[in-house]
Amino acid sequence: MKKVFIARTSCISPQESFRTNGFFSSWKAAQAETDQLHAIEPDYKGIITDAGKRRRMAHLIKMGVSTSLDCLTLPDGNLLIPDAIMSATAMGGLEDTEKFLRCIIDNGEDLLNPSNFIQSTGNTFGGQTGLLLGHHGYNVTYAHGGYSMESALTDAMLQLTSGDIKDALVTGADEITATEYEVMRKMGFWRGGRQMGEGSSSFLLTTEKEGSVCELAAVSLLHETTPKQIANSIEELANSNQLKATDIDLVLTGCDCDKAAEKEISDRFPVTDYKQWCGQYGTKSGFGLWIGTQLLSRGIAPKGNQWEQKQLKNIAIYSEYRQNDYTLMLLKMAQIN
Amino acid sequence: MATHVTGLGLVSSMGLDVQNNWSALLAKRSGIGPLTRLQTRHNVPAGEIKETNAELAGLLGLDTRKTYSRTALLGMMAAKEAINDAGIDPSRMKVALVSGTSVGGMDLSEQYFTDLHEGRRTHLRYLFEHDCGASTFRIAEYLGIRDFITTISTACSSSANAVMMADRLLHSQDFDAVVVGGTDPLCKFTINGFTSLMILDHEQCRPFDDSRNGLNLGEGAGFLVLQREPGKNHSYCNLLGYANANDAFHQTATSANGEGPYLAMKGAIEKAGLQPADIDYVNAHGTGTGNNDLSESTAMGRLFGSQLPPFSSTKVYTGHTLGACGGIEAAFCAMMLKNDTIIPTFNFKTPMHELAVRPETEVKTNAGIKTIMSNSFGFGGNVSSLIFGI
């Protein structure tokens, strides 16, 4: 069975992550004073060049399309056309959905703007990416809470390992909307330091080791959810990839609610919380995966509240979404055979 | 590595189980009619299931004080029938669930915003069922499936794409069975959405007819159980091949030359290791819009040349059930193969003036069908074809 490597990445997040070293040039502490971490948006003009199309795109679509195109842009400026495009979004075009819904109700089902309806479907940024690339290959979008990103990655890995495709673009994106924030606020969700986040992360997955950043060795959805079982499953994941628990140099964690599981993991593994930088959203594990790829490719590691020069070899990414969806991913340095 | 279809579940405006759906199909009895349950100012026919959410919850034996979206309720009903039909027990086997939906729990979101607008007391918990994954989560919870759960949302090809992912999971990760399909409810959101796009017909839809003037919406769910071996109770047919292609032409319309549909159909035939001449019947996407039917016919013409196999659209029975149609029509295809019967379209009189193709208009028994294709096309250019055979 073929191995899967990550060849290229791109990320828009609440940090300086898009086409910049900003985030890794110094340690950025969590921004504790706010409960919303909004993405730092690039100047979209240079990425989505058609002004008309750009103007019509909602925030989520701009983010998703931008990291997708950026991820495929080769050093010579040409675009790589992948065999397949897999997208992931927990909430889809929530902003357009809400606009259209309010329009239906407030205007008594009259004076409707079809562009809100068109952009409300979950597959809009995946479809738009295909459209802008003129890509006729496989194109699909997963929308299942905290499993969305992992489902898209699993689909890509299944097709890559079987040899059906040689490369795939996988993008996960979600946006902050006022209503979702407000609904969660009324439930008391943002108390205790929780922060809502947003962003888009893209990865070019390939079976070519040459020139890749690292190996994506495993992606798994966990159905056992006691703290001990979750921590055990990290060890099991290591074992099933010919590693010992002690070979896991770092677990990047993104926990929404389950403090007990987080504690159990941190008792048994070196951990760094990735969620502090991106906030909570359904596809935040894409940001965690992006951090993992950057640490391996830049040869840096977290040390206390600093980055240090240190080449890690194996990084696990653990994510939990609203105490419902638990996932694990495993990254290995590509040079290790 | 064979993929056997070992169980079926169907819920549509024709009936709440496979048998009622199949009887209606054989009798050419459509479920499309005037809307009576859903409150909307738009006077359009639709494939509406008359049971309310509370009635559906009652039929499912659920606690009616709890909140379930219509999407979840329809999906539970069809998926439960499918696993009972296959005779599988998810608590004793490794089972995955892959569902497709386009609007998720939109009926409850509409309720929430309507209550707010009208100053009524409402419940925040309605909005927790909004996202597409929430409906699948509820279905999984109801069936006791825990090993792998996911949701695909590619508009009207959602559940056809779910079937592809299900097949990959079945063969790669040691699942004993994968329950796969899709579910979507009728709601104001889609009725107004398709109204704003001006593609809803105010009469019954007329797929492939020159006078066609748009689609009728419908609601329902269709689920299959896929297994690597023939099932305990049934082996309706095998999933032989499939492909997904992107039309990459327009966010909501299909290209005139049907490039995406052509590539999806061609890809599915190649994956199945077949030739176009091996296809005995095509269950077309056939929505009844000017754009879809012409584009799909053009693509079929490019693929099959002068040897166009018999084809029909079953949207005249169910309406366009959006994210559910791939699952519903896959179940129809399984029944057609098992019964060696072609279900026709109706409301067809005059071939399209641009391209004169004639769908089947009469029920054909002893049809000699061994290999059939099912098409589903969605917004965003996402088009998919599945091939089933016996």
Side-chain angles (χ1 to χ4, degrees), chain A residues 55-69:
Chain A
R55 197 178 52 249
R56 283 191 296 274
M57 284 181 188
H59 175 51
L60 173 74
I61 299 164
K62 274 188 209 154
M63 290 196 293
V65 166
S66 294
T67 60
S68 295
L69 295 180

Side-chain angles (χ1 to χ4, degrees), chain A residues 181-198:
Chain A
Y181 169 79
E182 193 56 24
V183 167
M184 300 301 278
R185 191 190 64 76
K186 284 180 182 160
M187 303 293 288
F189 195 79
W190 309 119
R191 280 186 224 133
R194 291 203 190 101
Q195 297 170 305
M196 191 172 196
E198 63 178 0

Side-chain angles (χ1 to χ4, degrees), chain B residues 79-386:
Chain B
K80 180 76 176 172
E81 185 186 16
I83 67 165
N84 287 348
D85 189 36
I88 60 163
D89 178 359
S91 70
R92 291 159 172 269
M93 306 165 88
K94 190 176 169 189
V95 178
L97 173 67
V98 187
S99 181
T101 180
S102 67
V103 298
M106 189 66 80
D107 62 304
L108 291 175
S109 305
E110 286 176 4
Q111 185 66 49
Y112 179 85
F113 285 105
T114 304
D115 288 345
L116 279 190
H117 183 74
E118 293 173 4
R120 276 197 303 267
R121 185 166 172 268
T122 190
H123 300 285
L124 280 174
R125 64 172 187 269
Y126 290 169
L127 294 181
F128 287 100
E129 306 299 320
H130 173 83
D131 65 290
C132 293
S135 61
T136 312
F137 176 74
R138 293 285 173 218
I139 298 166
E141 195 178 44
Y142 183 67
L143 302 177
I145 294 176
R146 303 185 314 153
D147 295 296
F148 189 101
I149 311 164
T150 196
T151 310
I152 290 182
S153 192
T154 53
C156 311
S157 58
S158 301
S159 45
N161 285 326
V163 171
M164 298 186 209
M165 178 59 162
D167 187 63
R168 283 194 282 277
L169 287 169
L170 182 70
H171 292 290
S172 66
Q173 301 197 349
D174 296 330
F175 287 100
D176 297 310
V178 184
V179 181
V180 60
T183 170
D184 255 323
L186 272 174
C187 54
K188 282 189 190 179
F189 192 86
T190 46
I191 287 180
N192 283 280
F194 285 92
T195 298
S196 75
L197 293 171
M198 296 183 287
I199 50 176
L200 283 191
D201 198 325
H202 287 249
E203 296 167 43
Q204 251 191 18
C205 66
R206 297 174 296 286
F208 300 103
D209 193 90
D210 201 43
S211 74
R212 72 195 183 285
N213 195 26
L215 57 88
N216 303 140
L217 286 169
E219 62 184 342
F223 278 84
L224 318 175
V225 176
L226 304 182
Q227 295 183 267
R228 278 168 299 190
E229 309 289 335
K232 196 167 108 187
N233 299 338
H234 309 277
S235 190
Y236 288 92
C237 56
N238 290 348
L239 174 64
L240 301 180
Y242 44 79
N244 158 312
N246 189 3
D247 197 40
F249 170 70
H250 187 270
Q251 189 62 29
T252 59
T254 319
S255 57
N257 70 350
E259 184 67 8
Y262 169 77
L263 291 171
M265 289 190 278
K266 183 165 162 280
I269 287 172
E270 281 166 7
K271 171 121 180 137
L274 299 169
Q275 300 294 324
D278 297 324
I279 303 297
D280 299 320
Y281 162 76
V282 179
N283 186 267
H285 188 55
T287 57
T289 65
N291 174 248
N292 178 83
D293 295 0
L294 183 57
S295 172
E296 187 170 12
S297 301
T298 304
M300 285 196 289
R302 284 174 65 189
L303 183 67
F304 295 108
S306 59
Q307 304 297 313
L308 192 62
F311 70 99
S312 68
S313 164
T314 45
K315 300 283 193 300
V316 286
Y317 300 86
T318 56
H320 188 357
T321 55
L322 306 179
C325 74
I328 289 175
E329 289 164 25
F332 289 171
C333 284
M335 287 298 282
M336 288 191 226
L337 282 169
K338 186 186 169 209
N339 294 285
D340 195 18
T341 297
I342 291 176
I343 298 298
T345 194
F346 50 84
N347 294 338
F348 176 84
K349 289 195 188 82
T350 315
M352 299 182 285
H353 66 273
E354 305 94 334
L355 184 63
V357 292
R358 287 183 173 275
E360 296 299 299
T361 54
E362 296 302 332
V363 176
K364 195 188 274 179
T365 52
N366 302 316
I369 47 173
K370 300 243 178 300
T371 311
I372 67 182
M373 178 187 266
S374 176
N375 287 341
S376 297
F377 308 157
F379 276 11
N382 291 158
V383 299
S384 298
S385 292
L386 308 174

Side-chain angles (χ1 to χ4, degrees), chain A residues 109 123 136 138-139 141 144 151, chain B residues 40 150-151 168 192 244 246:
Chain A
E109 303 187 66
N123 61 333
H136 289 291
Y138 185 88
N139 191 314
T141 298
H144 191 105
S151 297
Chain B
T40 170
T150 196
T151 310
R168 283 194 282 277
N192 283 280
N244 158 312
N246 189 3

Side-chain angles (χ1 to χ4, degrees), chain A residues 15-221:
Chain A
Q15 307 301 327
E16 292 174 51
S17 56
F18 190 76
R19 291 182 180 170
T20 167
N21 289 322
F23 180 60
F24 293 98
S25 61
S26 65
W27 178 273
K28 299 278 168 51
Q31 294 141 292
E33 68 281 2
T34 169
D35 55 12
Q36 287 187 35
L37 298 180
H38 287 272
I40 299 172
E41 297 191 74
D43 184 352
Y44 291 113
K45 278 205 288 292
I47 312 158
I48 306 161
T49 49
D50 183 320
K53 282 196 176 126
R54 193 172 63 241
R55 197 178 52 249
R56 283 191 296 274
M57 284 181 188
H59 175 51
L60 173 74
I61 299 164
K62 274 188 209 154
M63 290 196 293
V65 166
S66 294
T67 60
S68 295
L69 295 180
D70 183 50
C71 187
L72 298 173
T73 305
L74 300 169
D76 63 8
N78 288 325
L79 282 168
L80 186 148
I81 306 293
D83 285 346
I85 297 175
M86 288 82 168
S87 306
T89 180
M91 291 293 170
L94 210 49
E95 192 180 306
D96 281 289
T97 302
E98 194 183 326
K99 274 186 196 161
F100 196 70
L101 198 50
R102 283 187 184 277
C103 196
I104 291 171
I105 290 161
D106 298 346
N107 299 341
E109 303 187 66
D110 204 0
L111 307 168
L112 299 157
N113 177 357
S115 74
N116 291 143
F117 177 65
I118 292 164
Q119 295 200 37
S120 73
T121 59
N123 61 333
T124 307
F125 68 81
Q128 283 285 332
T129 301
L131 196 55
L132 289 170
L133 291 174
H135 177 261
H136 289 291
Y138 185 88
N139 191 314
V140 75
T141 298
Y142 289 86
H144 191 105
Y147 289 162
S148 308
M149 187 71 194
E150 287 75 358
S151 297
L153 288 164
T154 299
D155 188 353
M157 287 177 81
L158 290 175
Q159 296 193 53
L160 285 162
T161 52
S162 68
D164 284 352
I165 56 172
K166 63 178 188 347
D167 52 13
L169 172 72
V170 181
T171 296
D174 275 293
E175 64 182 341
I176 291 175
T177 64
T179 302
E180 193 192 359
Y181 169 79
E182 193 56 24
V183 167
M184 300 301 278
R185 191 190 64 76
K186 284 180 182 160
M187 303 293 288
F189 195 79
W190 309 119
R191 280 186 224 133
R194 291 203 190 101
Q195 297 170 305
M196 191 172 196
E198 63 178 0
S200 176
S201 310
S202 293
F203 304 89
L204 181 69
L205 269 49
T206 152
T207 47
E208 276 293 315
K209 184 173 159 184
E210 183 83 25
S212 67
V213 176
C214 55
E215 182 190 345
L216 179 57
V219 174
S220 82
L221 312 185

